[in-house]
Amino acid sequence: MSVIIRETRAIEGQKPGTSGLRKKTPVFMQPGYLENFVQAIFNAIDGARGKTFVLGGDGRFFNDRAAQVILKMAAANGAARVIVGQGAILSTPAASHLIRLHQTDGGIILSASHNPGGPDEDFGVKFNTPNGGPAPESVTQAIYEESGRLREYAFFDAADVDLSRIGEIRLGEMIVQVVDPVSDYAAMMEKLFDFAKLRTLFANGFRMRFDAMHAVTGPYATEILEHRLGAAPGTVVNGRPLPDFGGGHPDPNPVWARALMDEMFGPDAPDFGAASDGDGDRNMIVGRGIYVSPSDSLAVLAANAHLAPGYRGGIRGVARSMPTSAAVDRVARALGIACHETPTGWKFFGNLLDAGQVTLCGEESFGTGSDHVREKDGLWAVLLWLNIVAERAESVTEILTIHWREHGRNYYSRHDYEALPAAQAEEVMQALRSRLGSLPGTEVQGMVAEAADDFAYHDPVDGSVSAGQGLRVMFAGGSRLVLRLSGTGTEGATLRLYLEHFVAGPEGLAGDVQATLAPVIAVAEDLAGIARITGRKTPDVIT
Ligand code: G16
């Protein structure tokens, strides 16, 4: 067993996006590719010598192989210890928690999140910093520069480490500490939520369906919901993680979690439905016959968080990504707390959370979380919802309806156009960008534009500026459209159009979402010309 230095060519284009580096699995499996990126991570953080890291992933195809490579590279780079989930499994929020719990020097998470997995699908690697959160732009930029520069990587030539048993194993000088992926996370949830109350809820016949989508939350949800809270066996469906997620998209939205939606809108719907994604950081909440949009979910959680033990003292502030609806802004105003608007990407919440300026944050892309970790957290959101349902003794429909009556309703939808030729997507962006300056004060199809810009974020904590984060047009009365390019797709370009329209109520709170948004959709076509430029008549995915 020895450290060997292997040559690698610098591989172009390994720029980490909104959530680490995501590529097709065969790209990651090319000789030296994963190794190049991992070495770049170590180089970018001044080496791994003497450091401790967390390692785990969502179990998708190549997860196990990649974990072995990373362990051997960590050993060769002089790391002192790597804490790894049994079987190389850790959900993203559980990894974030372990980084914080053990005050490590960061962690490497293997996942392409909600993207499909398998030999021909997607794989991903991301680095989280010692605060437990995704690396900020300064770090991802340094990794990118390193990956284009380095010519060799260090590798420890040894047999694979047995990750199937909990305990400590030596790999050269380094200690590999294999831990149960679920127990520390479950213990944290017990502290944040009223488990006794939730046990009573289930004991009294409350019925729930949790769709783990054959992804990483299966074991977490089964342990917490069925074993610790006494939910009926079978509450968790698709609970066995599979390397290809059973062939589906592990993406908890009405399109990809169709079976759950059908059940929740069917004749024998349970009281509560939820789903989580590949790596466990996203969530979707569905009531009996009612879908809760992620933006509304964030607003309801902010308004009711004080009902759960972990947030009894109230919340200090909230943050949402720019494309997320302004529903939570209205709650913040009512509570008299600050509301921050950040670019898309969980990493932008990190500074605000670390500085204690916000307690809850969320994104339209099915992400919600709090200061308990530095990632969005799917099961956490589900448990907070359950805690609120139990405390209020009301259904999801009642909670949402009462919320809209009090705060008004921000009708909201996102239209995705996937796998577009990059030049076409850029042409659409440019069509709108070129008109931004002339829009304010003008009327487009009967709607008055009040403001328009290319969103730039000024981080109030470290003063950094992130420009070019999405084009937005705000209309009188609280309507808005936003256009941006996805940072997580792996095939061509994905264009996202976010649509919003505010109704103060009490009339018009129960309208059809797409019909209510029709005027904003028409204005978007007028301004950006998506159909005209791309030839696409309808979006690929509507959420
Ligand atoms: C990642 C980030 C999220 C972000 C999303 C945006 O999600 O972690 O914070 O909202 O990407 O994706 P896009 O750029 O495609 O709109 P995840 O769940 O994929 O890690």
Side-chain angles (χ1 to χ4, degrees):
M1 293 201 301
S2 60
V3 175
I4 50 176
I5 303 297
R6 288 188 180 153
E7 286 192 3
T8 176
R9 56 195 170 90
I11 299 166
E12 287 304 314
Q14 293 193 85
K15 198 171 177 69
T18 22
S19 197
L21 182 67
R22 280 185 202 169
K23 297 281 175 197
K24 290 287 167 202
T25 312
V27 174
F28 262 107
M29 293 175 75
Q30 292 171 71
Y33 190 93
L34 168 71
E35 291 85 345
N36 173 293
F37 190 66
V38 173
Q39 189 64 52
I41 293 174
F42 291 147
N43 292 1
I45 57 168
D46 289 333
R49 187 152 303 281
K51 293 183 177 171
T52 296
F53 299 103
V54 165
L55 173 66
D58 63 12
R60 69 180 59 223
F61 184 82
F62 193 51
N63 186 97
D64 47 356
R65 293 306 317 144
Q68 294 291 344
V69 168
I70 294 168
L71 285 174
K72 291 171 192 177
M73 288 186 64
N77 278 274
R81 177 181 289 264
V82 176
I83 301 166
V84 50
Q86 189 179 17
I89 295 293
L90 280 178
S91 77
T92 289
S96 180
H97 178 52
L98 284 178
I99 292 170
R100 297 167 66 76
L101 185 68
H102 297 284
Q103 300 181 344
T104 72
D105 300 286
I108 295 177
I109 301 174
L110 309 172
S111 171
S113 189
H114 54 289
N115 295 15
D120 299 317
E121 299 293 352
D122 293 354
F123 193 75
V125 177
K126 63 178 183 165
F127 178 68
N128 282 28
T129 44
N131 74 342
E137 279 184 331
S138 55
V139 178
T140 56
Q141 184 62 27
I143 295 172
Y144 174 58
E145 285 165 15
E146 270 302 321
S147 76
R149 193 161 43 217
L150 62 85
R151 292 287 177 275
E152 56 187 30
Y153 65 88
F155 193 82
F156 196 77
D157 200 12
D160 282 357
V161 182
D162 180 3
L163 299 178
S164 68
R165 269 195 305 264
I166 288 166
E168 293 194 352
I169 308 161
R170 287 197 91 86
L171 184 60
E173 297 293 302
M174 187 179 87
I175 295 183
V176 179
Q177 182 183 346
V178 182
V179 299
D180 180 288
V182 178
S183 56
D184 287 318
Y185 177 84
M188 173 174 57
M189 293 299 123
E190 293 220 27
K191 283 203 195 110
L192 293 174
F193 303 113
D194 190 342
F195 270 39
K197 188 134 208 160
L198 291 177
R199 269 193 291 273
T200 308
L201 181 77
F202 284 114
N204 290 341
F206 186 84
R207 288 196 305 134
M208 167 175 181
R209 188 72 66 240
F210 181 94
D211 191 343
M213 307 190 84
H214 286 304
V216 80
T217 48
Y220 293 84
T222 305
E223 170 62 19
I224 294 173
L225 297 172
E226 296 188 10
H227 299 165
R228 300 200 184 192
L229 296 176
T235 294
V236 177
V237 293
N238 302 321
R240 199 158 64 85
L242 297 173
D244 66 349
F245 308 117
H249 282 237
D251 194 359
N253 65 38
V255 178
W256 297 116
R258 186 77 251 164
L260 176 70
M261 292 296 284
D262 288 347
E263 186 176 5
M264 294 308 297
F265 282 79
D268 188 32
D271 300 288
F272 190 89
S276 190
D277 72 330
D279 61 332
D281 56 2
R282 296 184 173 207
N283 76 91
M284 176 173 76
I285 303 294
V286 202
R288 184 183 285 151
I290 193 164
Y291 159 72
V292 185
S293 82
S295 295
D296 278 342
S297 176
L298 175 63
V300 167
L301 295 183
N304 294 281
H306 62 278
L307 298 175
Y311 307 92
R312 212 54 105 204
I315 54 177
R316 279 188 298 278
V318 291
R320 63 163 173 86
S321 68
M322 182 273 281
T324 305
S325 95
V328 74
D329 302 35
R330 297 174 192 283
V331 173
R333 215 168 299 142
L335 292 174
I337 57 173
C339 177
H340 299 263
E341 188 173 29
T342 60
T344 294
W346 204 261
K347 62 189 174 199
F348 291 103
F349 295 134
N351 280 343
L352 294 165
L353 290 163
D354 287 348
Q357 295 191 18
V358 305
T359 308
L360 293 199
C361 30
E363 299 187 283
E364 50 68 38
S365 55
F366 297 83
T368 350
S370 87
D371 57 2
H372 68 292
V373 288
R374 291 295 179 274
E375 288 278 4
K376 51 190 184 276
D377 188 344
L379 256 176
W380 166 90
V382 171
L383 290 167
L384 181 49
W385 259 99
L386 287 173
N387 206 144
I388 291 166
V389 166
E391 279 292 336
R392 291 179 54 142
E394 287 164 348
S395 69
V396 174
T397 305
E398 286 164 334
I399 291 173
L400 213 50
T401 316
I402 294 167
H403 185 93
W404 288 335
R405 241 183 266 140
E406 191 177 338
H407 299 280
R409 178 172 180 188
N410 290 70
Y411 282 88
Y412 187 83
S413 181
R414 184 176 104 184
H415 292 190
D416 293 340
Y417 297 83
E418 297 176 341
L420 290 171
Q424 256 182 25
E426 190 40 54
E427 196 182 333
V428 174
M429 292 295 286
Q430 191 47 35
L432 178 58
R433 198 180 287 120
S434 66
R435 298 181 68 173
L436 291 176
S438 60
L439 279 176
T442 62
E443 196 179 306
V444 193
Q445 303 207 8
M447 289 176 58
V448 179
E450 284 186 332
D453 66 1
D454 190 343
F455 180 61
Y457 178 59
H458 298 254
D459 189 311
V461 181
D462 68 11
S464 62
V465 178
S466 304
Q469 298 293 329
L471 312 177
R472 54 180 186 167
V473 186
M474 279 72 79
F475 300 94
S479 295
R480 184 181 72 151
L481 69 87
V482 172
L483 197 65
R484 66 176 277 278
L485 293 174
S486 157
T488 60
T490 55
E491 266 179 69
T494 296
L495 192 67
R496 304 207 195 281
L497 172 65
Y498 310 81
L499 306 143
E500 181 172 357
H501 175 71
F502 179 67
V503 173
E507 299 303 317
L509 293 177
D512 175 77
V513 176
Q514 299 303 322
T516 309
L517 290 170
V520 197
I521 296 170
V523 171
E525 182 54 32
D526 188 324
L527 294 177
I530 299 177
R532 186 165 37 82
I533 294 169
T534 68
R536 301 274 181 93
K537 295 280 174 285
T538 50
D540 296 292
V541 178
I542 296 181
T543 52

Coordinates of all heavy atoms in Angstrom, one line a residue, residues 408-440:
G408 N -53.7 37.1 1.6 CA -53.8 37.1 0.2 C -53.1 36.0 -0.4 O -52.4 35.2 0.2
R409 N -53.3 35.8 -1.8 CA -52.7 34.6 -2.4 C -51.8 35.0 -3.6 O -52.3 35.8 -4.5 CB -53.8 33.7 -2.9 CG -53.3 32.5 -3.7 CD -54.3 31.5 -4.0 NE -53.7 30.3 -4.7 CZ -54.3 29.3 -5.2 NH1 -55.6 29.3 -5.2 NH2 -53.7 28.4 -5.9
N410 N -50.6 34.6 -3.6 CA -49.7 34.8 -4.7 C -49.8 33.6 -5.6 O -49.2 32.5 -5.4 CB -48.3 34.9 -4.2 CG -48.1 36.2 -3.4 OD1 -48.6 36.4 -2.3 ND2 -47.3 37.1 -4.0
Y411 N -50.7 33.7 -6.6 CA -50.7 32.6 -7.6 C -49.4 32.5 -8.3 O -48.7 33.5 -8.6 CB -51.8 32.9 -8.7 CG -53.2 32.7 -8.2 CD1 -53.9 33.7 -7.6 CD2 -53.8 31.5 -8.4 CE1 -55.2 33.5 -7.1 CE2 -55.1 31.3 -8.0 CZ -55.8 32.3 -7.3 OH -57.1 32.0 -6.9
Y412 N -48.9 31.2 -8.5 CA -47.6 31.1 -8.9 C -47.4 29.8 -9.8 O -48.0 28.8 -9.5 CB -46.7 30.9 -7.7 CG -45.2 30.9 -8.0 CD1 -44.5 32.0 -8.1 CD2 -44.5 29.7 -8.1 CE1 -43.2 32.0 -8.4 CE2 -43.2 29.6 -8.4 CZ -42.5 30.8 -8.6 OH -41.2 30.8 -8.9
S413 N -46.6 29.9 -10.8 CA -46.2 28.7 -11.5 C -44.9 28.9 -12.2 O -44.4 30.0 -12.5 CB -47.3 28.4 -12.6 OG -47.0 27.3 -13.3
R414 N -44.2 27.7 -12.5 CA -43.0 27.8 -13.2 C -43.1 26.9 -14.5 O -43.6 25.8 -14.4 CB -41.9 27.2 -12.4 CG -40.5 27.3 -13.0 CD -39.4 26.8 -12.1 NE -39.0 25.5 -12.4 CZ -38.1 24.8 -11.7 NH1 -37.6 25.3 -10.6 NH2 -37.7 23.6 -12.1
H415 N -42.7 27.5 -15.6 CA -42.8 26.8 -16.9 C -41.3 26.5 -17.3 O -40.5 27.4 -17.5 CB -43.5 27.6 -18.0 CG -44.9 27.8 -17.7 ND1 -45.8 28.3 -18.6 CD2 -45.7 27.5 -16.6 CE1 -47.0 28.3 -18.1 NE2 -47.0 27.8 -16.9
D416 N -41.0 25.2 -17.5 CA -39.7 24.8 -17.9 C -39.6 24.4 -19.4 O -40.4 23.6 -19.8 CB -39.2 23.6 -17.1 CG -39.0 24.0 -15.6 OD1 -38.9 25.2 -15.3 OD2 -39.0 23.1 -14.8
Y417 N -38.6 24.9 -20.1 CA -38.3 24.4 -21.5 C -37.0 23.8 -21.4 O -36.0 24.4 -21.2 CB -38.3 25.6 -22.4 CG -39.7 26.3 -22.5 CD1 -40.1 27.2 -21.5 CD2 -40.6 26.0 -23.5 CE1 -41.3 27.9 -21.5 CE2 -41.9 26.6 -23.5 CZ -42.2 27.5 -22.5 OH -43.5 28.1 -22.6
E418 N -37.0 22.4 -21.6 CA -35.8 21.7 -21.4 C -35.0 21.3 -22.7 O -35.6 21.3 -23.7 CB -36.1 20.4 -20.6 CG -36.7 20.7 -19.2 CD -37.1 19.4 -18.5 OE1 -37.3 18.4 -19.1 OE2 -37.3 19.5 -17.2
A419 N -33.7 21.0 -22.5 CA -32.9 20.6 -23.6 C -33.0 21.4 -24.8 O -33.1 21.0 -26.0 CB -33.2 19.1 -23.9
L420 N -32.9 22.7 -24.6 CA -32.9 23.7 -25.8 C -31.5 23.8 -26.2 O -30.5 23.7 -25.4 CB -33.4 25.0 -25.3 CG -34.9 25.2 -25.0 CD1 -35.1 26.6 -24.4 CD2 -35.7 25.1 -26.2
P421 N -31.3 24.1 -27.5 CA -29.9 24.4 -28.0 C -29.5 25.7 -27.2 O -30.3 26.6 -27.1 CB -30.1 24.7 -29.5 CG -31.4 24.1 -29.9 CD -32.3 24.0 -28.6
A422 N -28.3 25.7 -26.7 CA -27.8 26.8 -25.9 C -28.0 28.2 -26.6 O -28.4 29.1 -25.9 CB -26.4 26.6 -25.5
A423 N -27.8 28.2 -27.9 CA -27.9 29.5 -28.6 C -29.3 30.0 -28.6 O -29.6 31.2 -28.4 CB -27.4 29.4 -30.0
Q424 N -30.3 29.1 -28.7 CA -31.7 29.5 -28.7 C -32.1 30.0 -27.4 O -32.8 31.1 -27.3 CB -32.6 28.3 -29.0 CG -33.1 28.3 -30.4 CD -34.0 27.1 -30.7 OE1 -34.6 26.5 -29.8 NE2 -34.1 26.7 -31.9
A425 N -31.7 29.3 -26.3 CA -32.0 29.8 -25.0 C -31.4 31.2 -24.7 O -32.1 32.1 -24.1 CB -31.5 28.8 -23.9
E426 N -30.2 31.4 -25.2 CA -29.6 32.7 -25.0 C -30.3 33.8 -25.8 O -30.4 34.9 -25.3 CB -28.1 32.6 -25.3 CG -27.3 33.8 -25.0 CD -27.6 34.4 -23.6 OE1 -27.6 33.7 -22.6 OE2 -27.9 35.6 -23.6
E427 N -30.8 33.4 -26.9 CA -31.5 34.3 -27.8 C -32.8 34.8 -27.1 O -33.1 36.0 -27.1 CB -31.9 33.7 -29.1 CG -32.3 34.7 -30.2 CD -32.7 34.0 -31.5 OE1 -32.2 32.9 -31.8 OE2 -33.5 34.6 -32.3
V428 N -33.5 33.9 -26.4 CA -34.7 34.3 -25.6 C -34.3 35.2 -24.5 O -34.9 36.3 -24.3 CB -35.4 33.0 -25.1 CG1 -36.5 33.4 -24.1 CG2 -35.9 32.1 -26.2
M429 N -33.3 34.8 -23.8 CA -32.8 35.7 -22.7 C -32.5 37.1 -23.2 O -32.9 38.1 -22.6 CB -31.5 35.1 -22.0 CG -31.8 33.8 -21.2 SD -32.8 34.0 -19.8 CE -31.8 34.9 -18.7
Q430 N -31.8 37.1 -24.4 CA -31.4 38.4 -24.9 C -32.6 39.2 -25.4 O -32.6 40.5 -25.2 CB -30.4 38.2 -26.1 CG -29.7 39.4 -26.6 CD -29.1 40.3 -25.5 OE1 -28.6 39.8 -24.4 NE2 -29.1 41.6 -25.6
A431 N -33.6 38.5 -25.9 CA -34.8 39.3 -26.4 C -35.4 40.0 -25.2 O -35.7 41.2 -25.3 CB -35.8 38.3 -26.9
L432 N -35.5 39.4 -24.0 CA -36.1 40.1 -22.9 C -35.0 41.1 -22.3 O -35.4 42.3 -22.0 CB -36.5 39.1 -21.8 CG -37.1 39.7 -20.5 CD1 -38.3 40.6 -20.8 CD2 -37.5 38.7 -19.5
R433 N -33.8 40.7 -22.2 CA -32.8 41.6 -21.7 C -32.7 42.9 -22.4 O -32.6 44.0 -21.8 CB -31.4 40.9 -21.7 CG -30.4 41.5 -20.8 CD -29.0 40.8 -20.8 NE -29.0 39.5 -20.2 CZ -28.7 38.3 -20.9 NH1 -28.4 38.3 -22.2 NH2 -28.7 37.2 -20.2
S434 N -32.8 42.9 -23.7 CA -32.7 44.1 -24.5 C -33.9 45.0 -24.3 O -33.8 46.2 -24.6 CB -32.6 43.7 -26.0 OG -33.8 43.2 -26.4
R435 N -34.9 44.6 -23.7 CA -36.1 45.4 -23.5 C -36.2 45.9 -22.0 O -37.1 46.8 -21.8 CB -37.4 44.7 -23.9 CG -37.3 44.3 -25.4 CD -38.6 43.6 -25.8 NE -39.7 44.5 -25.8 CZ -40.9 44.1 -26.3 NH1 -41.1 43.0 -26.8 NH2 -41.9 45.0 -26.2
L436 N -35.4 45.4 -21.2 CA -35.6 45.7 -19.7 C -35.6 47.2 -19.5 O -36.4 47.7 -18.7 CB -34.5 45.0 -18.9 CG -34.5 43.5 -18.8 CD1 -33.3 43.0 -18.0 CD2 -35.8 43.1 -18.1
G437 N -34.6 47.9 -20.1 CA -34.4 49.3 -19.8 C -35.6 50.2 -20.2 O -35.9 51.2 -19.5
S438 N -36.3 49.8 -21.2 CA -37.4 50.6 -21.7 C -38.8 50.2 -21.1 O -39.8 50.9 -21.3 CB -37.5 50.5 -23.2 OG -37.7 49.2 -23.6
L439 N -38.8 49.2 -20.3 CA -40.1 48.7 -19.8 C -40.8 49.5 -18.7 O -42.0 49.8 -18.7 CB -40.0 47.2 -19.3 CG -40.0 46.2 -20.4 CD1 -39.8 44.8 -19.8 CD2 -41.4 46.2 -21.1
P440 N -40.0 50.0 -17.7 CA -40.7 50.6 -16.6 C -41.5 51.8 -17.0 O -41.1 52.6 -17.8 CB -39.5 51.1 -15.7 CG -38.4 50.1 -16.0 CD -38.5 49.8 -17.4

